[in-house]
Amino acid sequence: MKRSCDLILGLAALILFSPAIVLIGALVLAMEGRPVLFHQVRVGLGGSPFTMFKFRTMRTLFDQAGGLLPDENRVTALGAFLRRFRLDELPELWLVVTGKMSLVGPRPLPREVLEGLTGSEERSAMRPGLTGLAQVSGNTQLTNREKIALDLFYRRHWSMALDVKIMFRTLA
């Protein structure tokens, strides 16, 4: 049932937001150049790796010693706007339609973040989500351990009603 809802709602959202996706892609290209999309390997269902795509929101800038500058120094003005309204994540709708992701579930994380964290195996027993309980409960203010604890709570208490509640909290 969850996968059917993901497919129907994900496809509808992809069609509905396709003009915005094209416009944002054109803006990123015009203002920041190539590449338009940021891609990174994340852990998916059953621990399988998959490539996640988002609109690029940061520049690659280095300090004098050759180290990458902190994220807050590299986020572009357009990127800050896209991140604030989560528009940078619109390309992930394709991953929902193709079954790599769900609309709601634990956010996919890179393998190196999950390594050594208790519960990461149980967490990967669900398809990762475009949004999740951790994202509507503090997101960037949470530690990785707190995010995983919320993801495990979600996994253990999953229901369609909880998914609807998380989607409404995401929209808010």
Side-chain angles (χ1 to χ4, degrees), residues 9 104 159-171:
L9 294 175
V104 180
S159 68
M160 287 304 289
L162 181 57
D163 275 6
V164 169
K165 182 178 178 181
I166 291 170
M167 282 196 276
F168 277 117
R169 286 180 64 189
T170 299
L171 291 173

Side-chain angles (χ1 to χ4, degrees), residues 10-82:
L11 189 57
L14 189 60
I15 292 167
L16 178 69
F17 289 112
S18 61
I21 292 169
V22 170
L23 177 63
I24 292 167
L27 285 171
V28 171
L29 181 62
M31 295 173 74
E32 307 302 333
R34 294 182 189 266
V36 172
L37 297 176
F38 164 80
H39 60 90
Q40 187 176 49
V41 175
R42 302 284 179 104
V43 176
L45 182 63
S48 300
F50 75 99
T51 303
M52 188 177 83
F53 297 94
K54 299 166 85 167
F55 283 115
R56 187 167 61 90
T57 60
M58 292 193 287
R59 293 185 189 98
T60 305
L61 299 175
F62 300 92
D63 59 23
Q64 292 177 341
L68 202 56
L69 288 174
D71 288 359
E72 58 270 6
N73 295 355
R74 298 184 300 129
V75 174
T76 66
L78 175 61
F81 175 82
L82 295 176

Side-chain angles (χ1 to χ4, degrees), residues 7 13 17 47-48 55 77 82 90 94 99 106-107 113 116-117 125 128-129 134 143-144 147 149 157 161 168:
L7 181 59
F17 289 112
S48 300
F55 283 115
L82 295 176
L90 286 175
W94 177 249
R107 279 296 291 164
V113 172
L117 292 175
T143 66
N144 286 331
K147 288 178 186 178
H157 298 91
F168 277 117

Side-chain angles (χ1 to χ4, degrees), residues 63-102:
D63 59 23
Q64 292 177 341
L68 202 56
L69 288 174
D71 288 359
E72 58 270 6
N73 295 355
R74 298 184 300 129
V75 174
T76 66
L78 175 61
F81 175 82
L82 295 176
R83 285 178 170 206
R84 174 157 188 216
F85 296 100
R86 301 177 93 175
L87 297 172
D88 61 319
E89 299 189 17
L90 286 175
E92 294 171 33
L93 287 170
W94 177 249
L95 296 171
V96 171
V97 170
T98 60
K100 297 286 186 197
M101 291 179 68
S102 181

